[in-house]
PDB file of all heavy atoms in Angstrom:
ATOM      1  N   SER L 183     -20.058  17.384 -25.116  1.00 76.00           N
ATOM      2  CA  SER L 183     -20.713  17.300 -26.424  1.00 76.00           C
ATOM      3  C   SER L 183     -19.975  16.337 -27.357  1.00 76.00           C
ATOM      4  O   SER L 183     -20.580  15.583 -28.108  1.00 76.00           O
ATOM      5  CB  SER L 183     -20.817  18.682 -27.069  1.00 76.00           C
ATOM      6  OG  SER L 183     -19.527  19.228 -27.292  1.00 76.00           O
ATOM      7  N   GLY L 184     -18.630  16.357 -27.316  1.00 72.00           N
ATOM      8  CA  GLY L 184     -17.840  15.384 -28.059  1.00 72.00           C
ATOM      9  C   GLY L 184     -17.891  15.514 -29.567  1.00 72.00           C
ATOM     10  O   GLY L 184     -17.583  14.566 -30.287  1.00 72.00           O
ATOM     11  N   ASN L 185     -18.280  16.638 -30.106  1.00 77.00           N
ATOM     12  CA  ASN L 185     -18.318  16.820 -31.557  1.00 77.00           C
ATOM     13  C   ASN L 185     -18.107  18.294 -31.870  1.00 77.00           C
ATOM     14  O   ASN L 185     -17.570  19.036 -31.046  1.00 77.00           O
ATOM     15  CB  ASN L 185     -19.644  16.300 -32.135  1.00 77.00           C
ATOM     16  CG  ASN L 185     -20.842  16.851 -31.369  1.00 77.00           C
ATOM     17  OD1 ASN L 185     -20.863  18.035 -31.028  1.00 77.00           O
ATOM     18  ND2 ASN L 185     -21.828  15.991 -31.101  1.00 77.00           N
ATOM     19  N   LEU L 186     -18.549  18.698 -33.071  1.00 76.00           N
ATOM     20  CA  LEU L 186     -18.340  20.090 -33.473  1.00 76.00           C
ATOM     21  C   LEU L 186     -19.083  21.086 -32.592  1.00 76.00           C
ATOM     22  O   LEU L 186     -18.806  22.289 -32.639  1.00 76.00           O
ATOM     23  CB  LEU L 186     -18.763  20.268 -34.934  1.00 76.00           C
ATOM     24  CG  LEU L 186     -17.862  19.580 -35.971  1.00 76.00           C
ATOM     25  CD1 LEU L 186     -18.428  19.778 -37.377  1.00 76.00           C
ATOM     26  CD2 LEU L 186     -16.438  20.126 -35.886  1.00 76.00           C
ATOM     27  N   LEU L 187     -20.018  20.586 -31.792  1.00 77.00           N
ATOM     28  CA  LEU L 187     -20.708  21.492 -30.862  1.00 77.00           C
ATOM     29  C   LEU L 187     -19.732  22.133 -29.883  1.00 77.00           C
ATOM     30  O   LEU L 187     -20.038  23.170 -29.291  1.00 77.00           O
ATOM     31  CB  LEU L 187     -21.790  20.724 -30.099  1.00 77.00           C
ATOM     32  CG  LEU L 187     -23.055  20.337 -30.875  1.00 77.00           C
ATOM     33  CD1 LEU L 187     -23.968  19.498 -30.001  1.00 77.00           C
ATOM     34  CD2 LEU L 187     -23.781  21.585 -31.374  1.00 77.00           C
ATOM     35  N   ALA L 188     -18.562  21.503 -29.734  1.00 80.00           N
ATOM     36  CA  ALA L 188     -17.566  22.067 -28.828  1.00 80.00           C
ATOM     37  C   ALA L 188     -17.163  23.474 -29.236  1.00 80.00           C
ATOM     38  O   ALA L 188     -16.738  24.282 -28.399  1.00 80.00           O
ATOM     39  CB  ALA L 188     -16.336  21.168 -28.768  1.00 80.00           C
ATOM     40  N   LEU L 189     -17.297  23.798 -30.523  1.00 83.00           N
ATOM     41  CA  LEU L 189     -16.947  25.143 -30.976  1.00 83.00           C
ATOM     42  C   LEU L 189     -17.844  26.201 -30.350  1.00 83.00           C
ATOM     43  O   LEU L 189     -17.435  27.357 -30.190  1.00 83.00           O
ATOM     44  CB  LEU L 189     -17.050  25.206 -32.507  1.00 83.00           C
ATOM     45  CG  LEU L 189     -16.049  24.336 -33.287  1.00 83.00           C
ATOM     46  CD1 LEU L 189     -16.338  24.414 -34.783  1.00 83.00           C
ATOM     47  CD2 LEU L 189     -14.625  24.781 -32.985  1.00 83.00           C
ATOM     48  N   PHE L 190     -19.077  25.807 -30.004  1.00 85.00           N
ATOM     49  CA  PHE L 190     -19.969  26.766 -29.360  1.00 85.00           C
ATOM     50  C   PHE L 190     -19.446  27.171 -27.976  1.00 85.00           C
ATOM     51  O   PHE L 190     -19.802  28.220 -27.442  1.00 85.00           O
ATOM     52  CB  PHE L 190     -21.386  26.188 -29.222  1.00 85.00           C
ATOM     53  CG  PHE L 190     -22.145  26.142 -30.506  1.00 85.00           C
ATOM     54  CD1 PHE L 190     -22.261  24.959 -31.220  1.00 85.00           C
ATOM     55  CD2 PHE L 190     -22.741  27.293 -31.020  1.00 85.00           C
ATOM     56  CE1 PHE L 190     -22.969  24.918 -32.419  1.00 85.00           C
ATOM     57  CE2 PHE L 190     -23.444  27.251 -32.207  1.00 85.00           C
ATOM     58  CZ  PHE L 190     -23.557  26.068 -32.908  1.00 85.00           C
ATOM     59  N   GLY L 191     -18.597  26.316 -27.419  1.00 87.00           N
ATOM     60  CA  GLY L 191     -18.023  26.647 -26.119  1.00 87.00           C
ATOM     61  C   GLY L 191     -17.174  27.901 -26.157  1.00 87.00           C
ATOM     62  O   GLY L 191     -17.060  28.609 -25.153  1.00 87.00           O
ATOM     63  N   ILE L 192     -16.580  28.180 -27.321  1.00 89.00           N
ATOM     64  CA  ILE L 192     -15.786  29.410 -27.449  1.00 89.00           C
ATOM     65  C   ILE L 192     -16.685  30.630 -27.270  1.00 89.00           C
ATOM     66  O   ILE L 192     -16.335  31.594 -26.594  1.00 89.00           O
ATOM     67  CB  ILE L 192     -15.081  29.447 -28.818  1.00 89.00           C
ATOM     68  CG1 ILE L 192     -14.139  28.256 -28.963  1.00 89.00           C
ATOM     69  CG2 ILE L 192     -14.336  30.768 -29.002  1.00 89.00           C
ATOM     70  CD1 ILE L 192     -13.529  28.121 -30.347  1.00 89.00           C
ATOM     71  N   GLY L 193     -17.870  30.551 -27.863  1.00 91.00           N
ATOM     72  CA  GLY L 193     -18.804  31.666 -27.729  1.00 91.00           C
ATOM     73  C   GLY L 193     -19.345  31.805 -26.320  1.00 91.00           C
ATOM     74  O   GLY L 193     -19.453  32.915 -25.800  1.00 91.00           O
ATOM     75  N   THR L 194     -19.679  30.667 -25.685  1.00 90.00           N
ATOM     76  CA  THR L 194     -20.255  30.762 -24.342  1.00 90.00           C
ATOM     77  C   THR L 194     -19.232  31.253 -23.317  1.00 90.00           C
ATOM     78  O   THR L 194     -19.579  31.998 -22.400  1.00 90.00           O
ATOM     79  CB  THR L 194     -20.826  29.409 -23.904  1.00 90.00           C
ATOM     80  OG1 THR L 194     -19.813  28.401 -23.989  1.00 90.00           O
ATOM     81  CG2 THR L 194     -22.016  29.027 -24.760  1.00 90.00           C
ATOM     82  N   VAL L 195     -17.969  30.844 -23.466  1.00 92.00           N
ATOM     83  CA  VAL L 195     -16.963  31.327 -22.525  1.00 92.00           C
ATOM     84  C   VAL L 195     -16.699  32.820 -22.738  1.00 92.00           C
ATOM     85  O   VAL L 195     -16.447  33.563 -21.786  1.00 92.00           O
ATOM     86  CB  VAL L 195     -15.656  30.511 -22.632  1.00 92.00           C
ATOM     87  CG1 VAL L 195     -14.867  30.864 -23.876  1.00 92.00           C
ATOM     88  CG2 VAL L 195     -14.808  30.710 -21.391  1.00 92.00           C
ATOM     89  N   ALA L 196     -16.792  33.276 -23.999  1.00 94.00           N
ATOM     90  CA  ALA L 196     -16.628  34.704 -24.273  1.00 94.00           C
ATOM     91  C   ALA L 196     -17.773  35.509 -23.653  1.00 94.00           C
ATOM     92  O   ALA L 196     -17.555  36.541 -23.002  1.00 94.00           O
ATOM     93  CB  ALA L 196     -16.561  34.950 -25.777  1.00 94.00           C
ATOM     94  N   PHE L 197     -19.000  35.011 -23.840  1.00 92.00           N
ATOM     95  CA  PHE L 197     -20.144  35.683 -23.232  1.00 92.00           C
ATOM     96  C   PHE L 197     -20.058  35.632 -21.702  1.00 92.00           C
ATOM     97  O   PHE L 197     -20.434  36.581 -21.014  1.00 92.00           O
ATOM     98  CB  PHE L 197     -21.459  35.048 -23.697  1.00 92.00           C
ATOM     99  CG  PHE L 197     -21.960  35.566 -25.007  1.00 92.00           C
ATOM    100  CD1 PHE L 197     -21.937  34.767 -26.147  1.00 92.00           C
ATOM    101  CD2 PHE L 197     -22.454  36.865 -25.112  1.00 92.00           C
ATOM    102  CE1 PHE L 197     -22.396  35.250 -27.361  1.00 92.00           C
ATOM    103  CE2 PHE L 197     -22.912  37.350 -26.319  1.00 92.00           C
ATOM    104  CZ  PHE L 197     -22.892  36.544 -27.455  1.00 92.00           C
ATOM    105  N   GLY L 198     -19.562  34.522 -21.172  1.00 92.00           N
ATOM    106  CA  GLY L 198     -19.399  34.416 -19.725  1.00 92.00           C
ATOM    107  C   GLY L 198     -18.439  35.452 -19.181  1.00 92.00           C
ATOM    108  O   GLY L 198     -18.678  36.060 -18.134  1.00 92.00           O
ATOM    109  N   PHE L 199     -17.343  35.675 -19.926  1.00 94.00           N
ATOM    110  CA  PHE L 199     -16.371  36.685 -19.499  1.00 94.00           C
ATOM    111  C   PHE L 199     -16.977  38.081 -19.548  1.00 94.00           C
ATOM    112  O   PHE L 199     -16.823  38.881 -18.617  1.00 94.00           O
ATOM    113  CB  PHE L 199     -15.131  36.617 -20.398  1.00 94.00           C
ATOM    114  CG  PHE L 199     -14.114  37.674 -20.110  1.00 94.00           C
ATOM    115  CD1 PHE L 199     -13.318  37.620 -18.978  1.00 94.00           C
ATOM    116  CD2 PHE L 199     -13.960  38.761 -20.974  1.00 94.00           C
ATOM    117  CE1 PHE L 199     -12.388  38.612 -18.702  1.00 94.00           C
ATOM    118  CE2 PHE L 199     -13.032  39.755 -20.710  1.00 94.00           C
ATOM    119  CZ  PHE L 199     -12.242  39.677 -19.569  1.00 94.00           C
ATOM    120  N   VAL L 200     -17.700  38.377 -20.640  1.00 95.00           N
ATOM    121  CA  VAL L 200     -18.329  39.693 -20.786  1.00 95.00           C
ATOM    122  C   VAL L 200     -19.351  39.923 -19.684  1.00 95.00           C
ATOM    123  O   VAL L 200     -19.398  40.998 -19.071  1.00 95.00           O
ATOM    124  CB  VAL L 200     -18.989  39.825 -22.173  1.00 95.00           C
ATOM    125  CG1 VAL L 200     -19.841  41.091 -22.245  1.00 95.00           C
ATOM    126  CG2 VAL L 200     -17.932  39.842 -23.272  1.00 95.00           C
ATOM    127  N   PHE L 201     -20.159  38.909 -19.394  1.00 94.00           N
ATOM    128  CA  PHE L 201     -21.182  39.073 -18.370  1.00 94.00           C
ATOM    129  C   PHE L 201     -20.589  39.098 -16.964  1.00 94.00           C
ATOM    130  O   PHE L 201     -21.200  39.646 -16.051  1.00 94.00           O
ATOM    131  CB  PHE L 201     -22.239  37.968 -18.489  1.00 94.00           C
ATOM    132  CG  PHE L 201     -23.366  38.339 -19.418  1.00 94.00           C
ATOM    133  CD1 PHE L 201     -23.269  38.087 -20.777  1.00 94.00           C
ATOM    134  CD2 PHE L 201     -24.505  38.968 -18.941  1.00 94.00           C
ATOM    135  CE1 PHE L 201     -24.290  38.443 -21.652  1.00 94.00           C
ATOM    136  CE2 PHE L 201     -25.528  39.329 -19.804  1.00 94.00           C
ATOM    137  CZ  PHE L 201     -25.433  39.068 -21.156  1.00 94.00           C
ATOM    138  N   THR L 202     -19.402  38.529 -16.793  1.00 95.00           N
ATOM    139  CA  THR L 202     -18.715  38.680 -15.506  1.00 95.00           C
ATOM    140  C   THR L 202     -18.348  40.135 -15.275  1.00 95.00           C
ATOM    141  O   THR L 202     -18.549  40.685 -14.184  1.00 95.00           O
ATOM    142  CB  THR L 202     -17.450  37.804 -15.465  1.00 95.00           C
ATOM    143  OG1 THR L 202     -17.826  36.425 -15.568  1.00 95.00           O
ATOM    144  CG2 THR L 202     -16.696  38.005 -14.157  1.00 95.00           C
ATOM    145  N   LEU L 203     -17.804  40.778 -16.321  1.00 96.00           N
ATOM    146  CA  LEU L 203     -17.498  42.214 -16.214  1.00 96.00           C
ATOM    147  C   LEU L 203     -18.761  43.018 -15.978  1.00 96.00           C
ATOM    148  O   LEU L 203     -18.779  43.960 -15.173  1.00 96.00           O
ATOM    149  CB  LEU L 203     -16.788  42.687 -17.490  1.00 96.00           C
ATOM    150  CG  LEU L 203     -15.434  42.054 -17.792  1.00 96.00           C
ATOM    151  CD1 LEU L 203     -14.876  42.611 -19.106  1.00 96.00           C
ATOM    152  CD2 LEU L 203     -14.455  42.300 -16.649  1.00 96.00           C
ATOM    153  N   PHE L 204     -19.826  42.651 -16.678  1.00 96.00           N
ATOM    154  CA  PHE L 204     -21.101  43.349 -16.505  1.00 96.00           C
ATOM    155  C   PHE L 204     -21.648  43.140 -15.092  1.00 96.00           C
ATOM    156  O   PHE L 204     -22.206  44.069 -14.489  1.00 96.00           O
ATOM    157  CB  PHE L 204     -22.113  42.851 -17.532  1.00 96.00           C
ATOM    158  CG  PHE L 204     -23.436  43.571 -17.476  1.00 96.00           C
ATOM    159  CD1 PHE L 204     -23.544  44.892 -17.880  1.00 96.00           C
ATOM    160  CD2 PHE L 204     -24.569  42.922 -17.005  1.00 96.00           C
ATOM    161  CE1 PHE L 204     -24.762  45.561 -17.816  1.00 96.00           C
ATOM    162  CE2 PHE L 204     -25.794  43.580 -16.939  1.00 96.00           C
ATOM    163  CZ  PHE L 204     -25.886  44.905 -17.344  1.00 96.00           C
ATOM    164  N   GLU L 205     -21.460  41.962 -14.544  1.00 96.00           N
ATOM    165  CA  GLU L 205     -21.939  41.678 -13.183  1.00 96.00           C
ATOM    166  C   GLU L 205     -21.170  42.499 -12.155  1.00 96.00           C
ATOM    167  O   GLU L 205     -21.735  42.933 -11.145  1.00 96.00           O
ATOM    168  CB  GLU L 205     -21.809  40.189 -12.884  1.00 96.00           C
ATOM    169  CG  GLU L 205     -22.451  39.743 -11.592  1.00 96.00           C
ATOM    170  CD  GLU L 205     -23.964  39.831 -11.601  1.00 96.00           C
ATOM    171  OE1 GLU L 205     -24.558  40.197 -12.642  1.00 96.00           O
ATOM    172  OE2 GLU L 205     -24.569  39.559 -10.551  1.00 96.00           O
ATOM    173  N   ILE L 206     -19.884  42.734 -12.387  1.00 96.00           N
ATOM    174  CA  ILE L 206     -19.110  43.610 -11.507  1.00 96.00           C
ATOM    175  C   ILE L 206     -19.670  45.027 -11.567  1.00 96.00           C
ATOM    176  O   ILE L 206     -19.834  45.692 -10.530  1.00 96.00           O
ATOM    177  CB  ILE L 206     -17.616  43.589 -11.905  1.00 96.00           C
ATOM    178  CG1 ILE L 206     -17.023  42.199 -11.651  1.00 96.00           C
ATOM    179  CG2 ILE L 206     -16.835  44.650 -11.130  1.00 96.00           C
ATOM    180  CD1 ILE L 206     -15.612  42.036 -12.178  1.00 96.00           C
ATOM    181  N   PHE L 207     -19.973  45.480 -12.772  1.00 97.00           N
ATOM    182  CA  PHE L 207     -20.575  46.809 -12.936  1.00 97.00           C
ATOM    183  C   PHE L 207     -21.919  46.884 -12.203  1.00 97.00           C
ATOM    184  O   PHE L 207     -22.205  47.863 -11.506  1.00 97.00           O
ATOM    185  CB  PHE L 207     -20.761  47.109 -14.425  1.00 97.00           C
ATOM    186  CG  PHE L 207     -21.593  48.331 -14.699  1.00 97.00           C
ATOM    187  CD1 PHE L 207     -21.083  49.607 -14.493  1.00 97.00           C
ATOM    188  CD2 PHE L 207     -22.901  48.202 -15.159  1.00 97.00           C
ATOM    189  CE1 PHE L 207     -21.850  50.731 -14.733  1.00 97.00           C
ATOM    190  CE2 PHE L 207     -23.681  49.317 -15.407  1.00 97.00           C
ATOM    191  CZ  PHE L 207     -23.160  50.588 -15.185  1.00 97.00           C
ATOM    192  N   VAL L 208     -22.740  45.848 -12.339  1.00 96.00           N
ATOM    193  CA  VAL L 208     -24.043  45.823 -11.674  1.00 96.00           C
ATOM    194  C   VAL L 208     -23.867  45.817 -10.160  1.00 96.00           C
ATOM    195  O   VAL L 208     -24.633  46.461  -9.432  1.00 96.00           O
ATOM    196  CB  VAL L 208     -24.864  44.603 -12.136  1.00 96.00           C
ATOM    197  CG1 VAL L 208     -26.123  44.418 -11.275  1.00 96.00           C
ATOM    198  CG2 VAL L 208     -25.257  44.756 -13.602  1.00 96.00           C
ATOM    199  N   ALA L 209     -22.862  45.100  -9.666  1.00 96.00           N
ATOM    200  CA  ALA L 209     -22.609  45.057  -8.227  1.00 96.00           C
ATOM    201  C   ALA L 209     -22.328  46.448  -7.672  1.00 96.00           C
ATOM    202  O   ALA L 209     -22.859  46.847  -6.631  1.00 96.00           O
ATOM    203  CB  ALA L 209     -21.440  44.116  -7.928  1.00 96.00           C
ATOM    204  N   VAL L 210     -21.489  47.197  -8.395  1.00 96.00           N
ATOM    205  CA  VAL L 210     -21.176  48.568  -7.969  1.00 96.00           C
ATOM    206  C   VAL L 210     -22.403  49.464  -8.115  1.00 96.00           C
ATOM    207  O   VAL L 210     -22.723  50.258  -7.225  1.00 96.00           O
ATOM    208  CB  VAL L 210     -20.001  49.128  -8.797  1.00 96.00           C
ATOM    209  CG1 VAL L 210     -19.713  50.575  -8.404  1.00 96.00           C
ATOM    210  CG2 VAL L 210     -18.762  48.267  -8.615  1.00 96.00           C
ATOM    211  N   LEU L 211     -23.106  49.324  -9.236  1.00 96.00           N
ATOM    212  CA  LEU L 211     -24.274  50.164  -9.497  1.00 96.00           C
ATOM    213  C   LEU L 211     -25.359  49.943  -8.446  1.00 96.00           C
ATOM    214  O   LEU L 211     -25.956  50.910  -7.945  1.00 96.00           O
ATOM    215  CB  LEU L 211     -24.826  49.864 -10.891  1.00 96.00           C
ATOM    216  CG  LEU L 211     -26.068  50.668 -11.316  1.00 96.00           C
ATOM    217  CD1 LEU L 211     -25.745  52.155 -11.377  1.00 96.00           C
ATOM    218  CD2 LEU L 211     -26.595  50.170 -12.664  1.00 96.00           C
ATOM    219  N   GLN L 212     -25.619  48.691  -8.089  1.00 96.00           N
ATOM    220  CA  GLN L 212     -26.656  48.413  -7.100  1.00 96.00           C
ATOM    221  C   GLN L 212     -26.278  48.939  -5.719  1.00 96.00           C
ATOM    222  O   GLN L 212     -27.144  49.386  -4.967  1.00 96.00           O
ATOM    223  CB  GLN L 212     -26.931  46.913  -7.044  1.00 96.00           C
ATOM    224  CG  GLN L 212     -27.687  46.377  -8.237  1.00 96.00           C
ATOM    225  CD  GLN L 212     -29.026  47.076  -8.433  1.00 96.00           C
ATOM    226  OE1 GLN L 212     -29.813  47.228  -7.512  1.00 96.00           O
ATOM    227  NE2 GLN L 212     -29.286  47.530  -9.656  1.00 96.00           N
ATOM    228  N   ALA L 213     -24.995  48.891  -5.375  1.00 97.00           N
ATOM    229  CA  ALA L 213     -24.551  49.472  -4.105  1.00 97.00           C
ATOM    230  C   ALA L 213     -24.784  50.976  -4.106  1.00 97.00           C
ATOM    231  O   ALA L 213     -25.263  51.558  -3.112  1.00 97.00           O
ATOM    232  CB  ALA L 213     -23.072  49.161  -3.875  1.00 97.00           C
ATOM    233  N   TYR L 214     -24.472  51.611  -5.228  1.00 97.00           N
ATOM    234  CA  TYR L 214     -24.686  53.058  -5.345  1.00 97.00           C
ATOM    235  C   TYR L 214     -26.173  53.402  -5.290  1.00 97.00           C
ATOM    236  O   TYR L 214     -26.582  54.315  -4.567  1.00 97.00           O
ATOM    237  CB  TYR L 214     -24.067  53.557  -6.647  1.00 97.00           C
ATOM    238  CG  TYR L 214     -24.374  55.006  -6.956  1.00 97.00           C
ATOM    239  CD1 TYR L 214     -23.842  56.027  -6.176  1.00 97.00           C
ATOM    240  CD2 TYR L 214     -25.192  55.350  -8.032  1.00 97.00           C
ATOM    241  CE1 TYR L 214     -24.122  57.359  -6.458  1.00 97.00           C
ATOM    242  CE2 TYR L 214     -25.474  56.664  -8.316  1.00 97.00           C
ATOM    243  CZ  TYR L 214     -24.940  57.665  -7.531  1.00 97.00           C
ATOM    244  OH  TYR L 214     -25.222  58.987  -7.803  1.00 97.00           O
ATOM    245  N   VAL L 215     -26.992  52.671  -6.040  1.00 96.00           N
ATOM    246  CA  VAL L 215     -28.427  52.945  -6.085  1.00 96.00           C
ATOM    247  C   VAL L 215     -29.064  52.749  -4.714  1.00 96.00           C
ATOM    248  O   VAL L 215     -29.893  53.563  -4.278  1.00 96.00           O
ATOM    249  CB  VAL L 215     -29.110  52.055  -7.140  1.00 96.00           C
ATOM    250  CG1 VAL L 215     -30.630  52.113  -7.008  1.00 96.00           C
ATOM    251  CG2 VAL L 215     -28.695  52.478  -8.541  1.00 96.00           C
ATOM    252  N   PHE L 216     -28.681  51.683  -4.025  1.00 97.00           N
ATOM    253  CA  PHE L 216     -29.296  51.406  -2.720  1.00 97.00           C
ATOM    254  C   PHE L 216     -28.949  52.506  -1.719  1.00 97.00           C
ATOM    255  O   PHE L 216     -29.828  53.003  -0.994  1.00 97.00           O
ATOM    256  CB  PHE L 216     -28.826  50.057  -2.191  1.00 97.00           C
ATOM    257  CG  PHE L 216     -29.794  49.417  -1.232  1.00 97.00           C
ATOM    258  CD1 PHE L 216     -30.584  48.353  -1.636  1.00 97.00           C
ATOM    259  CD2 PHE L 216     -29.925  49.874   0.065  1.00 97.00           C
ATOM    260  CE1 PHE L 216     -31.487  47.762  -0.761  1.00 97.00           C
ATOM    261  CE2 PHE L 216     -30.819  49.304   0.949  1.00 97.00           C
ATOM    262  CZ  PHE L 216     -31.607  48.237   0.537  1.00 97.00           C
ATOM    263  N   SER L 217     -27.679  52.897  -1.653  1.00 96.00           N
ATOM    264  CA  SER L 217     -27.291  53.965  -0.726  1.00 96.00           C
ATOM    265  C   SER L 217     -27.885  55.298  -1.161  1.00 96.00           C
ATOM    266  O   SER L 217     -28.294  56.111  -0.317  1.00 96.00           O
ATOM    267  CB  SER L 217     -25.767  54.065  -0.628  1.00 96.00           C
ATOM    268  OG  SER L 217     -25.189  54.289  -1.902  1.00 96.00           O
TER     269      SER L 217
END
């Protein structure tokens, strides 16, 4: 982006981290639900 839009990257990386944790939870949940 090369400008102030770079600040939005802080938010997207934070959301990426949160959704990574959520994806781990979903991985376990789907294994439980399927079995």
Side-chain angles (χ1 to χ4, degrees):
S183 62
N185 50 42
L186 291 177
L187 287 176
L189 294 176
F190 286 101
I192 299 173
T194 55
V195 75
F197 276 110
F199 176 73
V200 170
F201 271 87
T202 297
L203 297 179
F204 183 70
E205 188 68 3
I206 294 173
F207 170 74
V208 170
V210 177
L211 180 63
Q212 287 302 311
Y214 173 68
V215 168
F216 205 105
S217 57

